Amino acid sequence: QVQLVESGGGLVQAGGSLRLSCAASRIIFSMGWYRQAPGKQRELVAVITSGGSTKYADSVKGRFTISRDNAKITIYLQMNSLAPEDTAVYYCYAGITLVADMARSSPYWGQGTQVTVSS
């Protein structure tokens, strides 16, 4: 079992920045964030493996940066140039596959943290 504790969500104006953190109870191969906006499906934001390989959604490339501190078993998401379309609940992910694949494994999820970007 893996417990995930998220922090860093909040309200920010368009163009502003936020930094999300997710601390895990033990090492897992891949960790990252997904987000879900009202009326939309949960979508990939960014993931990072224990070895440092990353994958980003096209919509956040160049604006968001994911990093990992293996000693603290913690990942971070630096979000810059935020826009209203980034408004969503952000969920921390941990699993044995690079991205969440419930057909092949049982990923772990955090409780979610709200990010709201005002116009």
Side-chain angles (χ1 to χ4, degrees):
Q1 185 70 279
V2 175
Q3 283 75 50
L4 303 172
V5 181
E6 301 151 316
S7 62
L11 175 65
V12 67
Q13 291 184 310
S17 298
L18 285 173
R19 188 189 189 212
L20 304 183
S21 300
C22 177
S25 59
R26 65 176 175 88
I27 290 288
I28 197 75
F29 172 68
S30 183
M31 294 181 65
W33 274 273
Y34 285 67
R35 67 187 182 187
Q36 188 165 21
K40 295 185 177 181
Q41 296 189 147
R42 187 174 299 187
E43 65 177 1
L44 170 74
V45 178
V47 291
I48 185 168
T49 70
S50 58
S53 297
T54 60
K55 182 177 182 179
Y56 293 89
D58 289 341
S59 60
V60 307
K61 287 180 179 177
R63 299 189 298 124
F64 293 6
T65 303
I66 190 169
S67 60
R68 182 163 181 161
D69 184 338
N70 286 329
K72 295 182 178 180
I73 321 178
T74 300
I75 59 167
Y76 306 92
L77 185 69
Q78 180 66 47
M79 304 185 292
N80 297 326
S81 301
L82 284 163
E85 53 263 38
D86 296 313
T87 295
V89 177
Y90 285 67
Y91 295 93
C92 186
Y93 158 80
I96 62 173
T97 53
L98 178 64
V99 299
D101 185 354
M102 292 192 294
R104 297 173 57 197
S105 62
S106 299
Y108 300 98
W109 299 100
Q111 67 180 22
T113 185
Q114 178 71 46
V115 171
T116 302
V117 184
S118 62
S119 301

